[in-house]
Every structure is written in structure tokens, then in C-alpha cells.
Amino acid sequence: MFEARLVSSGTLKKVLDAIKDLLNEASFDCSDTGIQLQAMDSSHVSLVSLSLRADGFDKYRCDRNLTMGMNLASMTKILKCANNDDTVTVKAQDDADCVTFVFESKKQEKISDYEMKLMNLDQEHLGIPETDFSCVIHMPSGEFSRICRDLSQFGESVIISCTKEGVRFSSSGDIGSANIKLAQTNNIDKEEETVSIDLQEPVTLTFACQYLNSFTKATPLSNRVSLSMSANVPLVVEYEIPDLGHIRYYLAPKIEEDEN
Amino acid sequence: MFEARLVSSGTLKKVLDAIKDLLNEASFDCSDTGIQLQAMDSSHVSLVSLSLRADGFDKYRCDRNLTMGMNLASMTKILKCANNDDTVTVKAQDDADCVTFVFESKKQEKISDYEMKLMNLDQEHLGIPETDFSCVIHMPSGEFSRICRDLSQFGESVIISCTKEGVRFSSSGDIGSANIKLAQTNNIDKEEETVSIDLQEPVTLTFACQYLNSFTKATPLSNRVSLSMSANVPLVVEYEIPDLGHIRYYLAPKIEEDEN
Amino acid sequence: MFEARLVSSGTLKKVLDAIKDLLNEASFDCSDTGIQLQAMDSSHVSLVSLSLRADGFDKYRCDRNLTMGMNLASMTKILKCANNDDTVTVKAQDDADCVTFVFESKKQEKISDYEMKLMNLDQEHLGIPETDFSCVIHMPSGEFSRICRDLSQFGESVIISCTKEGVRFSSSGDIGSANIKLAQTNNIDKEEETVSIDLQEPVTLTFACQYLNSFTKATPLSNRVSLSMSANVPLVVEYEIPDLGHIRYYLAPKIEEDEN
């Protein structure tokens, strides 16, 4: 028996929004410690890693390890039927070929259950090596999202340059060129608006806009994002999911433009 | 001479929104008691019946019975030109081939008149027999609209099951199956949120989602809706139009699925 | 060196919105008195004339007269990257082939610069003779915009009739006919809602809806608009840009319908 309950279905909707741009279907690995998902995007360029801790759920029970392959478009249709303040419970039998989503309204007068067939998906678990990064940028997630969106109007790539003074995001193309500079701001009143940089050594790397824009679909999950960069290793874009876990995206830098 | 005035054109816009999904054109029958409209939808499956009482208008005069055939797309274009708080007056001469809509702003500085050609439409008046229904469900109109929209994602039909405990709406299809249960709630604080059931005997009937969704275009007219059901007779979905009249939709149950 | 700064980029966005419906590209003529733009729309029917005074900018410097030809679609992409409360500075070298837009956030932590190639555009400066108009109508810009939009549903032309009692806007087509009458209202409480008419003699002229609708894209710049009309000369539709300048649109009346 597997059963996981969240008092607010809004969080689960946001988790789904954060992955469905990159993945058409996904395997959720459930154990007594929580739910894990790890997958390459459908074009096999970037990697998504989601972790939801058992203790972050309002109720959690997992008698036996279980892998649930789900079509994310179908899951989206089902979650659209929940109000954001409905309680959501995800249920499955131990050897189930289907999963049930139960939505309960606050006053319990309305109870909806949606049963969905599970899928058998090929899985390749990728070892992700721990890395010491040359720099880690912590910044408001909305600002990062805005910058990626703005720069993708100008070119297909974004160059991210990090020094101890700040971060520069650049792009160029037919229209012209664009540069956005964020200064490091450690002493600001509102901590959530801070841009802070942990720097071992300056780094300049180039990334494909398209994937960065997909990663920023996680913005509603957290008002902060961190970007971890080192030469020749994938960028890690991480969003904490408050009290529940985190989602991380990995994207290798572009080689050619890096040498310009 | 026919003349009917409403202080707020918003109500007339909502009435039009409630029928234009089902009807391309419509005959409005005007007499000294008010305005009636009765028509099969364009695919001849469901029936719309609208009644606006003379005493619900701020001014009403109808010297001779009059039938005005109107193209509803043209009428929609005209009503879009009114602000919701404009006074609207509908006028026609006794043997007119056109109707005039006059919109007046609250302060009377702006007066607009729109003249539209009338149409000759075939009319078939259908006798609707009075029925004692096995059950009548009164519920919030917004909730009914939401349920129809949610379930139509899963299949083409909705099964409505009513017992004295409550109502169950179900649908199923390729994605999976969906069940929404509403408990009867007679003692709730806010009367408008109540789900109440007048039950002679339990009923389970199947209906086409597409038509139910069209009926829910009347939702802005009223925060309540009633569903009246008996085996083998059409469902009646009724919205009261406060202080003015009502709109009723009739839809026969699907036979095949009913027997499953 | 050319440099012009506005504390709020919102105004520049609105100016661009007011011209990009009519023009694909435009030459901005910069001198020490300010920035001028004058151009026929791409179908060579109407004329746009924009004037931004040097003293309306928060900082303004123009060492040598400069004409900057810009692609307005590219300029729109760049201005979309500014927040409305960002400071915007437009910069160019004296013999530059490019222009730079610099956006600074209120707290200066974020500085973005966008460089765009300039274009060489053919320019034809049209002498616009000063005219004494038979009538000048001052009215709320939102009301004018609404009327143009509403009437363009009914026909391709709008007839504007002005007498000392008020203004009438009319249109007709397949659906029927429409008339909107605005009374002159000199004594109203809110001056910005006033309709006032300076009349030498009554005028009735016919104009193409399409161009009037394009002119009303300037509505966000000002809550007032003036329409200046005389028989056989172009209508002038003018919006003041508070503390900065104005934008004027010229459109010749239609001849045929004028004679009906």
C-alpha cells in the first residue's frame, strides 16, 4: 500500500508544472523515505532530479518500494480538476497497475477520485557526481526567470559570467546584443531579494536558452534559485520546495561559444 | 409598439451568452405578459426555454403580440457595444422588419442606438409535459459548471447518480476514470452553497457532456442551479434569473450507457 | 554624443505602442530641442507626427543633429525587457551605426544594456500647413477608443458629425446601422470626462475605421484626445503626452461617402 497526502494540492500542481515542459512521462520512485524522480529530458540534453521527503507530506505510507510510471499530460488533466486548497491524496496498491488521486474540499462535502493507468517506463539511473563548484549564485527565482525570457529574444545562447562583483548574463543575435548585470547585494533589507555569490574562481559559461527557460517553470515553487557553475561540468539550477524537498536541473555548457 | 427597458444591460448580455452557444438564431415571442423563447439547439438534441416576465423589466409595453427572429451573432456584436451599467431599451414597431437597441449611459451624455434587421424563422412550439421528477438537486451553479468541465476531459458522457446521501458524477475514457461525490448539506451557513436533494426514488442517468457544458453558459445569471431527473424523461437544468424569469434546458438521457 | 533619459521606461513603451501599429520602421530626428518623428503609415494613407521636447526628459544631451532609423519590432523586443519603473537611457555616438538602450532598476542592482543596429531610411519631410478648423472636439481618449472599436464592427467607415449640441459617430453595414451621440458637457465635475466642442461651423466627414483604430493605440499616453475637423482637409487626432510632448495623426476624409 502506498499513500501520500498533501493538505494543499497547489504544491503538487507546481511540481508537475516544473517537470512537464521537459518530460512527457516520468517514473516516480517511492520508498519509505519519500519520492524520487530522475530523468533526462525528451531530447536527452538536460537532466531533472526531483526529491520529495516523506516527512514533508501530511500523511505518508509506503509499505514496499514502488515505481510509478505516469503520463504527465494525463496527470496534468487530473490535477486541473483539483482546487488549489483541496487536500490531495495519491494512492496505489503494492502491485498496482493504476494510481488514484483523491481530492477533498476543505469542508469535505466534495470528494473526487481519479484513477489513472500506470506505464512501464525504461529507467536509467544516472550517477551524479558531487562537485565542488567554482561559483554558486543565489538569487531571486523571478529575476532569473525574467532574465532568461528576456535574453532568449536575442539569441539561442546565454553567456553567464560570474565574478565576485556580480553576475553578467549576455546574449546576441540579429537584432543586436544584450547584457544584464546584477550586482552582489549582501546587505539588503529583504533577504529574499538578495543576490549573493560564493566564489572560488571566476567562471564564464554558455548555455542554451531553451533549457534554461524550461527550468524556470519551477519558479512558482520557490522565491529563490541557486546556480552552481564550474568549467566543463554541468550547471546545476536548484529550487528548494519549502518543507518538502527540492528540484534540480543539470545542463552541460556549450563548448564552441565558450571559446569565443 | 414594443418597448422593453432594463436599467442594466449586463443581464441581457448574460441571457444572450446563455443561449448563443446552442442557437445561431432565435425567435423571441413578445406579448403583454413578457418575452418567451423556445427552441431546439442547432443539432436538434437539446431544448432551450427562456422566460422573461413583463414585470421584471423597468419599463415594458407590448401593444400587439410580436415575434422577433434575431441572428444571435449580430445581437452579440451589438450588445458588446453597451457598458454593463448602461440602460438598454429594445424597441420595435408593430409590423417592423427591424429592431432597435438603445443604450444610455448613467449620466445620459452618451446615447447609442443600433438597428438590426429581423429574420423570419420557422417555429415549432413543443409542448413540454409537466413531470413529477424522481429527484431534484439544488446546488451552486459554479460547482455544477466546474464538475461538467472537469469530467468532460475524461469522456464524452457523464453519469449522474442521485441518492438521498448525495449526488455522484462519473466519467471514464482513455486516461482513466473520474468520480465526483457531493454530499447533501442542508444545514450549511451559507444557503447559496447548499447541496439539497428532493428525492422520490434514486436515479442514475447518463448525459452527453457537450450539452451540459453548453447549459452551464447560464452560470453568470444565477448562483444556483437545479437538476430535475426521472428515468426515461429529459433532464431539466434550470437557472432562475433573479426578479426577471428563468432559463431551462432539456436533455434526454443516453440510452445505451444507461444500461451498463 | 546623444543621450536622453526618462525616469520611467513606461512612457517610452507607450510612445512605441502608439506608432508601431502604423509604422514598421521609423526615423527619429534628434536635435538639441528634442526628438521628432514624422512618417506616412506603411500603406501611405495616414501620417504620424511625434514630438518629444528636450526639457521633458530627465536628462537630455544632443551635441550634433542625429537621425536614427529604427526597426520598431526590434525596438519593441528591447523595451519589453524593461520594467515599467526602470530608468531608461537612449545613447548614441555622433556618427554611430547603432543605438544603446540602458535600463536601470530603482535600486541600481540591475543594469541592462541593449545595443541595436540603426537603419538608413528614406525620409520625406512633409510640410503640414497650419489650418483653422471648423470644429475641434475635446473628449476622453478612452471613450473615443471605445467608439471606434464598437463602430468598426458594423462597417469600414465612420461618419463623424459635429454640431454645437454634440458629436454623432455613425456606421452601417450588413448587420444594421449604429449611431452614437455624445452631448457637449461643459459643466461636469470631472474635467477629464468633459466633451467640449469649439465650433466655427458644423462639419460632417467620413473616415476609414481601420486608421482611427490604429490612432487609438495612443490612448494609454493621455486620458484626453482632440479631433480637429474641416471640410476637405485631413482630420487631426492629437494626444498630449504629459510634460513631454504630443503625438498627432492625420487622416484625409473619404470623398464618396461624404457626398451621400
Side-chain angles (χ1 to χ4, degrees), chain A residues 15-231:
Chain A
V15 166
L16 185 59
D17 287 340
I19 60 174
K20 75 182 163 65
D21 215 44
L22 290 165
L23 309 175
N24 296 324
E25 53 247 338
S27 280
F28 293 83
D29 297 318
C30 308
S31 70
D32 58 1
T33 60
I35 303 174
Q36 311 288 328
L37 178 156
Q38 202 189 86
M40 300 293 288
D41 75 89
S42 41
S43 58
H44 278 252
V45 172
S46 64
L47 183 117
V48 186
S49 173
L50 169 72
S51 174
L52 305 175
R53 294 189 311 272
D55 61 24
F57 288 87
D58 299 293
K59 182 173 172 184
Y60 191 90
R61 171 182 166 188
C62 183
D63 300 340
R64 284 175 50 184
N65 286 3
L66 185 73
T67 293
M68 298 193 288
M70 301 198 200
N71 178 297
L72 298 186
S74 299
M75 193 179 163
T76 300
K77 283 192 176 179
I78 288 174
L79 281 171
K80 267 197 192 147
C81 299
N83 285 315
N84 281 338
D85 57 356
D86 282 354
T87 294
V88 55
T89 308
V90 185
K91 282 185 193 175
Q93 298 304 318
D94 279 346
D95 291 306
D97 62 349
C98 65
V99 60
T100 303
F101 295 86
V102 182
F103 306 133
E104 289 163 88
S105 67
K106 280 278 170 287
K107 294 183 200 149
Q108 300 257 355
E109 299 112 10
K110 183 181 175 184
I111 301 180
S112 315
D113 58 272
Y114 296 85
E115 201 177 274
M116 182 175 80
K117 289 245 167 57
L118 292 174
M119 309 169 76
N120 277 315
L121 300 174
D122 284 339
Q123 277 205 283
E124 14 158 14
H125 266 280
L126 298 143
I128 301 170
E130 286 287 317
T131 313
D132 281 336
F133 289 98
S134 302
C135 67
V136 180
I137 304 157
H138 294 268
M139 61 182 287
S141 60
E143 187 68 87
F144 178 61
S145 172
R146 177 73 196 264
I147 288 170
C148 292
R149 196 185 63 199
D150 284 349
L151 292 186
S152 60
Q153 293 193 89
F154 294 89
E156 293 180 358
S157 300
V158 170
I159 303 171
I160 306 179
S161 262
C162 187
T163 65
K164 72 172 190 291
E165 280 75 35
V167 203
R168 198 183 67 161
F169 300 86
S170 315
S171 184
S172 62
D174 293 343
I175 293 178
S177 64
N179 282 290
I180 300 173
K181 278 165 275 182
L182 295 183
Q184 187 168 195
T185 52
N186 281 316
N187 315 332
I188 216 163
D189 286 351
K190 299 182 189 165
E191 201 189 349
E192 63 189 30
E193 294 179 5
T194 304
V195 174
S196 72
I197 298 169
D198 294 336
L199 191 91
Q200 305 302 321
E201 56 176 331
V203 184
T204 295
L205 293 169
T206 304
F207 300 100
C209 282
Q210 177 194 348
Y211 295 98
L212 298 182
N213 275 324
S214 289
F215 302 167
T216 63
K217 303 298 183 197
T219 303
L221 280 170
S222 176
N223 53 21
R224 302 286 295 165
V225 65
S226 71
L227 314 178
S228 303
M229 303 197 297
S230 285

